[in-house]
């Protein structure tokens, strides 16, 4: 094993080396031409007979790959060996739905392509909340300790776009339930499930199916592999009881804090959510025998990712936090607990089955400002729990908050933009939403 652990058996390595490449020189349809699909096309174009398709005619016309594009009416007439499905494609809600259902056995992902061509060590992280942050911290920790490491997957860099890969290259992979759902051969020596709460039910239909998509990471592992899971997560524990997994299961106690955590002074890790993420980093680092001083150095300097509980203003007894990435109540609980006198902005397209489970003792320090057309959903969740007001849009809601805080200059206060909902009602994505919020804040202070 490239990481030097003696628990990787000779038998495992021999089996992996003898897995035949199921994509090489095959006739392949790539469905979905976003970042993932385009990187797959580029990677396979000289290795296979490639055809590409996307539901968006506008997107197809904008791409300079006309020779690879196949028309809709010709797809069913060709016999493909494999179909590479982009994560954003839902086989129950797309133009090729009936074709995909008839050929479900042929469906694979870019993760499968990666695994078929490479045998590198991987640390793959999934979960409902905290995936990107945990991956980013782990990447920076490994880089600091001189690993040849790449950060890929759902965090924004397609796995097949990595360059100059060597035998010792280690991959830190963020995996969404969408990417795992259709993967068939992908395996990871280190698998991590941070947590599970109701999410993406509109796609997976049930919480059980969503959970099983996450657990494909563990199900594909073999003896000698390691799996890190949250010890106190009821959905994780329920799934663990249903199946005997071959890998070693390490239950991470995210509530237990030792001497190492007492040394941390970085405010970013003072809230519950980020402490939990750090618990996984610490347990993984112990298994990799990493240098604790270098680990602590990275943690103290870590500033967080954009729009993920990001502190964008901290002056005059006012803290403004941009948490645009929040698309569910569960992703916001930690930051609500960690701050006081909170002016909470939320709104957007709510997640099906989402529940608000903040303990009652925190209600008194929060005022909620709901924006957008789905206010009735949020009103129902907040009713009898905290004060709330409704606003037509985010701009008007924030303007009202600034008027209120100007009257409370002597009190420490926090403006928390944590929408607990998807952004597609008014924005392209959570980044677009986060950028817009930052602009609103900047415009306010520029005008004073």
């Amino acid at each position: 094993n490239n990481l030097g652990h003696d628990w990787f058996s000779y038998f495992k390595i021999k089996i992996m080396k003898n897995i035949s490449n199921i994509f090489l020189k095959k006739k392949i349809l790539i469905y979905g031409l976003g970042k993932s699909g385009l990187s797959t096309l580029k990677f396979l174009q000289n290795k296979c007979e490639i055809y590409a398709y996307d539901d968006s005619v506008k997107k197809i016309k904008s791409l300079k790959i006309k020779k690879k594009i196949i028309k809709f009416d010709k797809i069913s007439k060709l016999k493909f060996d494999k179909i590479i499905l982009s994560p954003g494609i839902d086989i129950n809600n797309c133009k090729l739905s009936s074709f995909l259902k008839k050929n479900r056995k042929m469906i694979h992902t870019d993760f499968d392509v990666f695994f078929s061509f490479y045998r590198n060590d991987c640390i793959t992280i999934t979960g409902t909340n905290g995936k990107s942050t945990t991956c980013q911290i782990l990447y920076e920790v490994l880089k600091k300790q001189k690993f040849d490491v790449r950060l890929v997957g759902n965090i924004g860099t397609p796995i097949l776009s990595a360059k100059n890969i060597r035998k010792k290259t280690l991959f830190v992979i963020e995996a969404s339930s969408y990417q795992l759902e259709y993967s068939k051969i992908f395996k990871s020596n280190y698998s991590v499930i941070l947590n599970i709460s109701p999410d993406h039910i509109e796609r997976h239909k049930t919480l059980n199916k969503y959970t099983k998509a996450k657990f494909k990471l563990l199900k594909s592992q073999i003896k000698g592999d390691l799996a890190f899971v949250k010890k106190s997560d009821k959905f994780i524990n329920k799934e663990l009881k249903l199946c005997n997994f071959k890998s070693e299961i390490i239950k991470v106690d995210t509530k237990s804090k030792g001497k190492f955590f007492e040394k941390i002074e970085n405010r970013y890790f003072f809230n519950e959510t980020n402490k939990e993420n750090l618990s996984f980093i610490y347990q993984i680092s112990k298994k990799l025998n990493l240098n604790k001083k270098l680990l602590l150095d990275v943690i103290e300097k870590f500033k967080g990712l954009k729009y993920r509980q990001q502190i964008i203003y901290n002056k005059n007894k006012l803290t403004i936090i941009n948490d645009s990435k929040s698309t569910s109540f569960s992703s916001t609980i930690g930051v609500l607990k960690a701050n006081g006198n909170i002016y909470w902005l939320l709104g957007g397209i709510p997640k099906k089955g989402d529940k608000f489970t903040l303990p009652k003792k925190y209600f008194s320090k929060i005022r909620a400002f709901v924006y957008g057309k789905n206010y009735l959903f949020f009103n129902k969740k907040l009713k009898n729990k905290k004060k709330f007001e409704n606003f037509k849009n985010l701009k008007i809601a924030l303007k009202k908050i600034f008027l209120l805080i100007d009257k409370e200059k002597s009190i420490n206060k926090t403006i928390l933009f944590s929408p607990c909902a998807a952004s597609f009602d008014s924005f392209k994505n959570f980044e677009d939403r986060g950028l817009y919020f930052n602009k609103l804040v900047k415009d306010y202070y520029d005008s004073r």
Side-chain angles (χ1 to χ4, degrees), residues 186-391:
F186 175 73
K187 292 180 177 63
S188 181
N189 355 57
Y190 300 83
S191 292
V192 180
I193 303 181
L194 299 172
N195 47 60
I196 291 180
S197 57
D199 200 6
H200 300 306
I201 305 302
E202 69 284 351
R203 164 88 171 247
H204 295 286
K205 307 305 178 186
T206 68
L207 177 59
N208 183 50
K209 289 182 179 178
Y210 170 68
T211 302
K212 289 192 180 301
K214 297 288 190 185
F215 264 82
K216 286 184 77 174
L217 263 184
L218 273 63
K219 199 171 182 180
S220 65
Q221 288 187 302
I222 61 177
K223 189 175 180 180
D225 292 335
L226 293 181
F228 300 81
V229 300
K230 184 178 178 180
K231 183 179 180 179
S232 61
D233 192 294
K234 64 179 181 179
F235 299 116
I236 288 175
N237 286 321
K238 182 181 178 182
E239 193 66 24
L240 286 173
K241 292 176 182 177
L242 298 177
C243 184
N244 291 320
F245 297 95
K246 295 176 182 177
S247 56
E248 179 186 348
I249 308 295
I250 298 169
K251 291 191 174 184
V252 178
D253 187 352
T254 56
K255 296 179 180 179
S256 176
K257 301 293 179 285
K259 292 182 179 180
F260 178 80
F261 289 84
E262 293 174 2
K263 299 176 183 178
I264 297 170
E265 297 179 354
N266 187 344
R267 182 183 170 182
Y268 183 82
F269 295 103
F270 286 2
N271 74 60
E272 186 178 283
T273 305
N274 291 330
K275 283 180 181 176
E276 289 190 3
N277 296 337
L278 201 54
S279 295
F280 280 89
I281 298 293
Y282 183 65
Q283 290 301 323
I284 294 168
S285 69
K286 284 170 66 177
K287 289 295 180 181
L288 298 182
N289 297 315
L290 300 184
N291 183 299
K292 287 185 180 180
K293 288 184 179 180
L294 293 177
L295 171 63
L296 186 61
D297 184 53
V298 171
I299 290 168
E300 292 293 12
K301 293 177 181 177
F302 188 73
K303 295 181 179 179
L305 295 172
K306 275 189 174 182
Y307 317 131
R308 294 165 172 87
Q309 300 181 14
Q310 181 187 16
I311 298 173
I312 62 168
Y313 185 91
N314 190 23
K315 295 178 182 177
N316 305 320
K317 296 187 177 182
L318 173 63
T319 300
I320 303 178
I321 300 173
N322 188 337
D323 190 30
S324 178
K325 181 64 171 68
S326 165
T327 56
S328 66
F329 284 117
S330 62
S331 63
T332 302
I333 296 298
V335 71
L336 286 173
K337 288 181 179 179
N339 293 277
N341 196 21
I342 301 171
Y343 295 79
W344 178 23
L345 283 157
L346 67 162
I349 303 174
K351 292 288 181 73
K352 185 177 179 180
D354 199 13
K355 295 180 180 180
F356 185 50
T357 59
L358 183 72
K360 191 175 181 179
K361 65 179 180 179
Y362 296 100
F363 293 172
S364 61
K365 66 174 188 175
I366 300 168
R367 288 182 63 177
F369 298 77
V370 181
Y371 68 87
K373 62 183 179 181
N374 294 307
Y375 66 93
L376 289 176
F377 171 87
F378 296 101
N379 290 178
K380 186 177 180 181
K381 298 295 180 181
L382 298 173
K383 190 177 181 181
N384 301 324
K385 293 182 179 180
K386 54 181 49 57
K387 297 176 183 177
F388 62 85
E389 296 179 60
N390 297 318
F391 298 87

Side-chain angles (χ1 to χ4, degrees), residues 105-165:
K105 290 183 178 180
M106 290 197 296
I107 295 175
H108 288 273
T109 66
D110 58 340
F111 279 26
D112 290 335
V113 176
F114 167 82
F115 183 79
S116 196
F117 281 88
Y118 300 108
R119 293 291 180 265
N120 292 65
D121 288 313
C122 300
I123 304 174
T124 306
I125 298 174
T126 193
T128 304
N129 302 308
K131 298 186 293 296
S132 297
T133 298
T134 307
C135 283
Q136 184 68 42
I137 298 170
L138 183 58
Y139 167 74
E140 292 184 18
V141 166
L142 292 167
K143 195 173 181 181
K144 181 77 172 181
Q145 309 217 14
K146 306 302 181 183
F147 281 81
D148 176 21
V149 60
R150 310 298 165 80
L151 178 60
V152 296
N154 194 55
I155 199 165
T157 304
I159 196 167
L160 293 175
S161 65
K163 305 294 183 184
N164 303 317
I165 299 169

